[in-house]
Amino acid sequence: MQYPMLLPLFAAALLAGCETAPRAGADTRAQVVEVLRERQALRDGHPELHPALRAGVTAQEMEAGRLVQGECAEPDATRPLGLRWTGVTALLPAGTAAASLAPGSVIEVRDPRPAWPVRPGDPPPAHRHGGFAGSAAGTADAARTPTLCHAAGLPGSVWRVRLRGAVPGWMHPFAQAGLQRLEAFSDDDFRAGRVLRLACQLKVVDGGDWYAPVWIARAPEGLPLRVGDVVRLRAGAEAQSKDAGPAAEVLARDSSTSAPGGNAVVRCR
């Protein structure tokens, strides 16, 4: 008997007993797991790269190792250790690769900006992107002490940033797809609590949990929803994917289905 010939049949039998994630355009059932009130809360598709992509950084520049990322701290009495950390990216000049800058070294970044303007009352942006202004001198001990964004003797528009390294090029399609999903929502959508994170639960042949696909979707006007509500959903591109396909769409509340208790979410359908 040729046992290797049985492997494809065995695999097919297992897969036949597994549920698959609803495809884009298919109607399914999902549960609201979060109501998103601000853009920074929509953690989809490497948000630390959104300021760079909004500034025009391309996939080719990332693949060449030119986009570097790091962090710096600002005094904030409300945070642990009295410091608030901000992630900062910068694009190195053409012909310069991140390999020439060791992790832990400090660079100067000109005019680091968030992906979107900060309005009065908004929390400080967690991520910014600026122009590379050169390596900082006299910062050999930066790995042992916090690197402050605003150093004495520098203009306020120039920040010092301790490097973590280059951003891998493979992140670009995931970040770009997440940014596209985020840009589909207006400020009014967030203020009205219409931007939702939803999930449903899939099962495998043995009855154990497999995984829960997650979508970001807009609720229709006049349909207030809260965490735990079950809805009918037209599936779209999943969150955290590089799928730039159509967005998911909430169709209606599903009053016939009760949400499970604990950390579980409703079964997909």
Side-chain angles (χ1 to χ4, degrees):
M1 180 180 295
Q2 299 296 316
Y3 289 102
M5 296 179 62
L6 297 179
L7 292 178
L9 298 177
F10 180 69
L14 283 179
L15 290 174
C18 298
E19 294 181 343
T20 57
R23 296 188 177 187
D27 287 359
T28 188
R29 180 173 55 193
Q31 184 175 336
V32 179
V33 296
E34 189 175 6
V35 178
L36 302 161
R37 298 283 183 173
E38 57 184 43
R39 291 188 185 275
Q40 288 194 57
L42 208 166
R43 302 173 298 278
D44 179 18
H46 299 285
E48 70 274 16
L49 303 184
H50 291 171
L53 297 186
R54 293 267 294 176
V57 172
T58 67
Q60 291 75 18
E61 290 167 335
M62 288 178 58
E63 290 165 0
R66 291 178 55 196
L67 185 68
V68 294
Q69 62 181 340
E71 59 189 1
C72 61
E74 297 182 84
D76 187 337
T78 67
R79 302 295 180 94
L81 304 179
L83 296 172
R84 182 180 71 250
W85 293 90
T86 302
V88 181
T89 55
L91 187 66
L92 299 179
T96 304
S100 62
L101 297 169
S105 60
V106 177
I107 63 171
E108 293 177 355
V109 178
R110 184 182 300 107
D111 196 19
R113 298 184 180 184
W116 289 271
V118 180
R119 302 169 303 175
D122 284 350
H127 309 291
R128 293 175 176 260
H129 175 79
F132 178 72
S135 298
T139 55
D141 63 344
R144 297 189 296 272
T145 60
T147 299
L148 298 179
C149 302
H150 303 286
L154 288 179
S157 60
V158 176
W159 289 24
R160 279 191 172 168
V161 176
R162 185 170 64 190
L163 286 184
R164 292 199 300 267
V167 179
W170 63 261
M171 286 187 176
H172 184 275
F174 292 91
Q176 188 64 55
L179 180 60
Q180 179 176 311
R181 287 188 287 270
L182 178 54
E183 289 183 323
F185 304 111
S186 69
D187 291 342
D188 287 342
D189 289 332
F190 285 97
R191 283 193 289 266
R194 295 175 58 202
V195 183
L196 310 172
R197 193 185 310 274
L198 305 108
C200 60
Q201 185 170 300
L202 296 165
K203 294 285 184 178
V204 290
V205 65
D206 63 359
D209 293 348
W210 185 25
Y211 83 101
V214 175
W215 298 273
I216 307 297
R218 180 191 293 107
E221 290 188 23
L223 182 63
L225 294 169
R226 60 184 181 179
V227 172
D229 286 344
V230 179
V231 301
R232 288 178 46 233
L233 182 77
R234 180 157 296 147
E238 290 184 42
Q240 304 299 344
S241 75
K242 61 179 179 181
D243 183 1
E249 178 185 359
V250 174
L251 301 176
R253 191 191 309 271
D254 184 352
S255 301
S256 64
T257 304
S258 299
N263 295 323
V265 292
V266 71
R267 288 282 302 276
C268 303
R269 181 177 60 186

